[in-house]
Amino acid sequence: MKKNSGKDNIVGIHAVRILLKVRPFDVYEIYLSDINSSKFEEIKNEAKKNSIVIQKISNNKIYEISNVKSHQGVLAIAKKKEEITEKDIPTYLKSRPENNILLILDEVSDPRNLGACLRICDAFNVSAVIIKDHDSVNINETVKKVAAGSAETTPVIRVKNISRVLDMLKKNNYWIYGASDKASKDVNIVKFKTPIALVIGGEASGLRKKTIECCDYTLKITMNGVVESLNMAVATGILVNTIYSKIK
């Protein structure tokens, strides 16, 4: 594990509520736009239980600090989470033997897509999300707001080289499945071997050729309408749901 110095700004009722349940010891203070509002009752109770100071703040000030318009009138200042480093991935995965799916995003530039993918991963007990250290969005306030608390429950592991990580996963008995519109098999007819690393390409160009070469199998979502492709998060949801239903 790698310690992360500095602080995180976390906005949104669900994101702050989960933060207080998962790591209240890392929360420095909480700001609310309306301290008397009943919609913040659970947050106030958890803060009181953990002796965390709550202060009043304007909605405009929350936006100024977080740069998130849909902040829902709540802001938490917390210690940054510890990061899982690339070399620690095998040890981390062995600590979660019941989790058979790992998600790898080969370039993700939209924070809302990443946040939505984290929410999907939490719903289906995915071990972690691996993204590139460069050419990928930072884990910012928007990502955490859209993730609605799942940024706390699903680790995001930033790595330098996706191909190197895929090779390491193969050596640790993972089967690599790449999502590509050029694949010959639909996800519904693929027979999966576990544990699984599902690799999904970036919003603009999909999986890179070098990444596809590292995959054991490729699969696709058959499109029956006039639309030729799906949003990254939507595709992730369909694929993870289908895989989960086939291996559980």
Side-chain angles (χ1 to χ4, degrees), residues 4 26 35 71 77 84 87 111 140 146 154 159 167 197 230:
N4 232 341
D26 282 344
I35 290 178
H71 52 66
I77 310 296
I84 299 169
K87 66 181 178 62
N140 58 24
V146 174
T154 304
V159 301
D167 184 57
L230 296 169

PDB file of all heavy atoms in Angstrom, residues 4 26 35 71 77 84 87 111 140 146 154 159 167 197 230:
ATOM      1  N   ASN A   4      -1.075   8.202   0.815  1.00  0.00           N
ATOM      2  CA  ASN A   4      -1.339   9.379   0.007  1.00  0.00           C
ATOM      3  C   ASN A   4      -1.412  10.582   0.921  1.00  0.00           C
ATOM      4  O   ASN A   4      -2.293  10.665   1.766  1.00  0.00           O
ATOM      5  CB  ASN A   4      -2.691   9.197  -0.703  1.00  0.00           C
ATOM      6  CG  ASN A   4      -2.572   9.422  -2.189  1.00  0.00           C
ATOM      7  OD1 ASN A   4      -1.621  10.036  -2.632  1.00  0.00           O
ATOM      8  ND2 ASN A   4      -3.530   8.936  -2.937  1.00  0.00           N
ATOM      9  N   ASP A  26     -10.822   9.082   9.045  1.00  0.00           N
ATOM     10  CA  ASP A  26     -10.077   9.915   8.090  1.00  0.00           C
ATOM     11  C   ASP A  26     -10.774  11.237   7.783  1.00  0.00           C
ATOM     12  O   ASP A  26     -10.269  12.033   6.998  1.00  0.00           O
ATOM     13  CB  ASP A  26      -9.878   9.150   6.770  1.00  0.00           C
ATOM     14  CG  ASP A  26      -8.758   8.119   6.846  1.00  0.00           C
ATOM     15  OD1 ASP A  26      -7.953   8.195   7.792  1.00  0.00           O
ATOM     16  OD2 ASP A  26      -8.695   7.244   5.962  1.00  0.00           O
ATOM     17  N   ILE A  35     -27.866  23.080   8.046  1.00  0.00           N
ATOM     18  CA  ILE A  35     -27.608  22.167   9.167  1.00  0.00           C
ATOM     19  C   ILE A  35     -28.892  21.572   9.734  1.00  0.00           C
ATOM     20  O   ILE A  35     -28.891  20.476  10.294  1.00  0.00           O
ATOM     21  CB  ILE A  35     -26.796  22.901  10.266  1.00  0.00           C
ATOM     22  CG1 ILE A  35     -25.368  23.162   9.744  1.00  0.00           C
ATOM     23  CG2 ILE A  35     -26.735  22.099  11.556  1.00  0.00           C
ATOM     24  CD1 ILE A  35     -24.469  23.914  10.696  1.00  0.00           C
ATOM     25  N   HIS A  71     -23.637  19.170  -5.940  1.00  0.00           N
ATOM     26  CA  HIS A  71     -22.993  18.732  -4.688  1.00  0.00           C
ATOM     27  C   HIS A  71     -23.980  18.387  -3.580  1.00  0.00           C
ATOM     28  O   HIS A  71     -23.600  17.844  -2.547  1.00  0.00           O
ATOM     29  CB  HIS A  71     -22.020  19.801  -4.198  1.00  0.00           C
ATOM     30  CG  HIS A  71     -22.635  21.176  -4.096  1.00  0.00           C
ATOM     31  ND1 HIS A  71     -23.630  21.482  -3.200  1.00  0.00           N
ATOM     32  CD2 HIS A  71     -22.382  22.315  -4.793  1.00  0.00           C
ATOM     33  CE1 HIS A  71     -23.964  22.751  -3.319  1.00  0.00           C
ATOM     34  NE2 HIS A  71     -23.235  23.286  -4.298  1.00  0.00           N
ATOM     35  N   ILE A  77     -14.267  17.033   4.201  1.00  0.00           N
ATOM     36  CA  ILE A  77     -12.819  17.124   4.003  1.00  0.00           C
ATOM     37  C   ILE A  77     -12.200  15.920   4.697  1.00  0.00           C
ATOM     38  O   ILE A  77     -12.379  15.720   5.906  1.00  0.00           O
ATOM     39  CB  ILE A  77     -12.236  18.420   4.608  1.00  0.00           C
ATOM     40  CG1 ILE A  77     -13.039  19.652   4.147  1.00  0.00           C
ATOM     41  CG2 ILE A  77     -10.759  18.552   4.233  1.00  0.00           C
ATOM     42  CD1 ILE A  77     -12.984  19.922   2.670  1.00  0.00           C
ATOM     43  N   ILE A  84      -3.319   1.350  -3.580  1.00  0.00           N
ATOM     44  CA  ILE A  84      -2.706   0.056  -3.862  1.00  0.00           C
ATOM     45  C   ILE A  84      -1.757   0.258  -5.039  1.00  0.00           C
ATOM     46  O   ILE A  84      -2.160   0.763  -6.081  1.00  0.00           O
ATOM     47  CB  ILE A  84      -3.777  -0.995  -4.209  1.00  0.00           C
ATOM     48  CG1 ILE A  84      -4.736  -1.189  -3.027  1.00  0.00           C
ATOM     49  CG2 ILE A  84      -3.133  -2.322  -4.600  1.00  0.00           C
ATOM     50  CD1 ILE A  84      -5.955  -2.003  -3.362  1.00  0.00           C
ATOM     51  N   LYS A  87       2.799  -3.176  -7.723  1.00  0.00           N
ATOM     52  CA  LYS A  87       3.490  -4.369  -7.203  1.00  0.00           C
ATOM     53  C   LYS A  87       2.669  -5.089  -6.121  1.00  0.00           C
ATOM     54  O   LYS A  87       2.896  -6.262  -5.833  1.00  0.00           O
ATOM     55  CB  LYS A  87       4.867  -4.008  -6.668  1.00  0.00           C
ATOM     56  CG  LYS A  87       4.885  -3.124  -5.446  1.00  0.00           C
ATOM     57  CD  LYS A  87       6.303  -2.814  -5.016  1.00  0.00           C
ATOM     58  CE  LYS A  87       6.356  -1.883  -3.819  1.00  0.00           C
ATOM     59  NZ  LYS A  87       5.730  -2.455  -2.613  1.00  0.00           N
ATOM     60  N   PRO A 111     -14.826  11.741 -16.254  1.00  0.00           N
ATOM     61  CA  PRO A 111     -14.983  11.419 -14.827  1.00  0.00           C
ATOM     62  C   PRO A 111     -16.331  10.796 -14.491  1.00  0.00           C
ATOM     63  O   PRO A 111     -16.434   9.970 -13.586  1.00  0.00           O
ATOM     64  CB  PRO A 111     -14.804  12.781 -14.130  1.00  0.00           C
ATOM     65  CG  PRO A 111     -15.050  13.811 -15.186  1.00  0.00           C
ATOM     66  CD  PRO A 111     -14.609  13.182 -16.463  1.00  0.00           C
ATOM     67  N   ASN A 140     -11.254  12.625  -9.135  1.00  0.00           N
ATOM     68  CA  ASN A 140     -11.605  13.948  -8.616  1.00  0.00           C
ATOM     69  C   ASN A 140     -12.982  13.953  -7.950  1.00  0.00           C
ATOM     70  O   ASN A 140     -13.616  12.908  -7.781  1.00  0.00           O
ATOM     71  CB  ASN A 140     -11.541  14.990  -9.738  1.00  0.00           C
ATOM     72  CG  ASN A 140     -12.463  14.658 -10.906  1.00  0.00           C
ATOM     73  OD1 ASN A 140     -13.449  13.939 -10.748  1.00  0.00           O
ATOM     74  ND2 ASN A 140     -12.156  15.186 -12.083  1.00  0.00           N
ATOM     75  N   VAL A 146     -20.354  10.998  -8.562  1.00  0.00           N
ATOM     76  CA  VAL A 146     -21.102  10.072  -9.416  1.00  0.00           C
ATOM     77  C   VAL A 146     -21.027   8.651  -8.848  1.00  0.00           C
ATOM     78  O   VAL A 146     -22.000   7.893  -8.918  1.00  0.00           O
ATOM     79  CB  VAL A 146     -20.568  10.114 -10.867  1.00  0.00           C
ATOM     80  CG1 VAL A 146     -21.244   9.051 -11.727  1.00  0.00           C
ATOM     81  CG2 VAL A 146     -20.781  11.495 -11.476  1.00  0.00           C
ATOM     82  N   THR A 154     -14.655   0.376  -3.692  1.00  0.00           N
ATOM     83  CA  THR A 154     -13.966  -0.283  -4.811  1.00  0.00           C
ATOM     84  C   THR A 154     -12.651   0.439  -5.091  1.00  0.00           C
ATOM     85  O   THR A 154     -12.664   1.587  -5.533  1.00  0.00           O
ATOM     86  CB  THR A 154     -14.833  -0.268  -6.086  1.00  0.00           C
ATOM     87  OG1 THR A 154     -16.095  -0.875  -5.801  1.00  0.00           O
ATOM     88  CG2 THR A 154     -14.147  -1.020  -7.215  1.00  0.00           C
ATOM     89  N   VAL A 159      -1.810   2.327 -12.792  1.00  0.00           N
ATOM     90  CA  VAL A 159      -0.600   1.607 -13.201  1.00  0.00           C
ATOM     91  C   VAL A 159       0.047   2.311 -14.391  1.00  0.00           C
ATOM     92  O   VAL A 159      -0.610   3.030 -15.132  1.00  0.00           O
ATOM     93  CB  VAL A 159      -0.915   0.137 -13.563  1.00  0.00           C
ATOM     94  CG1 VAL A 159      -1.532  -0.589 -12.372  1.00  0.00           C
ATOM     95  CG2 VAL A 159      -1.837   0.045 -14.778  1.00  0.00           C
ATOM     96  N   ASP A 167       0.045  -9.195 -18.195  1.00  0.00           N
ATOM     97  CA  ASP A 167       0.993 -10.308 -18.136  1.00  0.00           C
ATOM     98  C   ASP A 167       1.134 -10.812 -16.703  1.00  0.00           C
ATOM     99  O   ASP A 167       1.158 -12.030 -16.457  1.00  0.00           O
ATOM    100  CB  ASP A 167       2.352  -9.852 -18.686  1.00  0.00           C
ATOM    101  CG  ASP A 167       3.356 -10.990 -18.756  1.00  0.00           C
ATOM    102  OD1 ASP A 167       3.049 -12.010 -19.416  1.00  0.00           O
ATOM    103  OD2 ASP A 167       4.439 -10.881 -18.138  1.00  0.00           O
ATOM    104  N   ALA A 197     -10.239 -11.028 -15.677  1.00  0.00           N
ATOM    105  CA  ALA A 197      -9.900  -9.618 -15.836  1.00  0.00           C
ATOM    106  C   ALA A 197     -10.606  -9.138 -17.101  1.00  0.00           C
ATOM    107  O   ALA A 197     -10.294  -9.604 -18.204  1.00  0.00           O
ATOM    108  CB  ALA A 197      -8.391  -9.416 -15.949  1.00  0.00           C
ATOM    109  N   LEU A 230     -21.967   1.840 -27.530  1.00  0.00           N
ATOM    110  CA  LEU A 230     -22.527   2.239 -26.255  1.00  0.00           C
ATOM    111  C   LEU A 230     -21.539   3.083 -25.461  1.00  0.00           C
ATOM    112  O   LEU A 230     -20.318   2.954 -25.633  1.00  0.00           O
ATOM    113  CB  LEU A 230     -22.886   0.994 -25.423  1.00  0.00           C
ATOM    114  CG  LEU A 230     -23.984   0.088 -25.985  1.00  0.00           C
ATOM    115  CD1 LEU A 230     -24.031  -1.215 -25.205  1.00  0.00           C
ATOM    116  CD2 LEU A 230     -25.333   0.792 -25.937  1.00  0.00           C
TER     117      LEU A 230
END
